[in-house]
Amino acid sequence: MGIEEKIPSGILLTTLESVVGYARKFSVWPATFGLACCAIELFQTGGPRHDLARFGMERASNTPRQADLMIVAGRVSQKMAPVLRQIYDQMPDPKWVISMGVCASSGGMFNNYAIVQGVDHIVPVDIYLPGCPPRPEMLIDSILKLHDKIINTKLGQNRDRQITDQEQAKLRMRPLRMTVPEQGRGSAP
């Protein structure tokens, strides 16, 4: 016999974290930061075929003070980097960032002095979306993964503990080492 049998029907048991996570999940408003060809795919995601409105994201904010998700689509130049950081700083907490496309994630094919080699040098990135350019379906998949991350976010002291645990786990990770196969005795060097 559990507590479920003693409570009258129609009563829902849950935690505050679950309710807040559920509400945040369906109220994410993006601040689009389209800089190159990935932006076309980003705008296509808001169109009728893919329909971001089913996730509650139909309102793209023109002001960062009303947005809580920044989607960086395309290559970020050194001149644009301070603007990107300023917009990120103006967004209210909690805020999330999706790096859309290989140029935003790692600089892409533009390995020169004018392009930032990864937007994570400027703002903390929650989800990296690969591709050149990534399809709208891939962006929708990354938004669904972000929803999972949002709904499982802790609150208050539990949030501080969650962040500390994640940082400690990353520090304990062993670095990746590539092993070089040894050459056989009779083979040429």
Side-chain angles (χ1 to χ4, degrees):
M1 258 213 210
I3 192 168
E4 305 88 27
E5 296 171 7
K6 304 259 186 220
I7 296 177
S9 65
I11 300 291
L12 177 69
L13 297 177
T14 188
T15 63
L16 181 63
E17 287 177 346
S18 298
V19 172
V20 170
Y22 187 79
R24 282 183 180 166
K25 172 183 169 180
F26 289 112
S27 64
V28 176
W29 284 355
T32 56
F33 204 81
L35 299 169
C37 46
C38 289
I40 296 169
E41 299 294 326
L42 169 64
F43 300 145
Q44 179 65 30
T45 308
R49 176 175 281 177
H50 302 289
D51 191 23
L52 278 178
R54 60 187 157 155
F55 304 116
M57 298 177 64
E58 68 273 8
R59 184 188 178 282
S61 291
N62 292 327
T63 173
R65 288 177 177 83
Q66 296 175 352
D68 44 13
L69 169 64
M70 176 184 278
I71 302 174
V72 182
R75 58 188 179 272
V76 180
S77 66
Q78 295 288 349
K79 284 185 173 183
M80 190 57 73
V83 176
L84 177 75
R85 183 61 199 205
Q86 182 180 13
I87 291 173
Y88 177 80
D89 289 339
Q90 290 175 353
M91 291 170 59
D93 285 328
K95 50 191 165 189
W96 299 278
V97 177
I98 293 177
S99 175
M100 182 177 176
V102 71
C103 292
S105 299
S106 65
M109 64 192 93
F110 305 101
N111 189 9
N112 60 29
Y113 66 92
I115 303 297
V116 175
Q117 299 300 307
V119 75
D120 55 354
H121 292 288
I122 303 162
V123 295
V125 176
D126 294 297
I127 295 187
Y128 294 92
L129 180 58
C132 183
R135 297 278 306 138
E137 294 86 1
M138 295 171 68
L139 179 58
I140 288 174
D141 183 59
S142 68
I143 289 170
L144 292 174
K145 287 183 172 128
L146 182 67
H147 283 177
D148 290 341
K149 186 174 184 175
I150 291 170
I151 205 166
N152 293 320
T153 301
K154 304 289 183 192
L155 298 176
Q157 294 176 347
N158 295 336
R159 173 78 176 134
D160 295 337
R161 191 174 321 116
Q162 182 185 28
I163 291 171
T164 305
D165 292 344
Q166 288 173 350
E167 288 174 351
Q168 293 299 322
K170 287 182 181 178
L171 289 174
R172 286 191 300 268
M173 287 176 53
R174 297 174 63 189
L176 179 65
R177 291 191 202 135
M178 299 296 289
T179 58
V180 179
E182 296 181 23
Q183 294 188 359
R185 293 185 182 230
S187 63

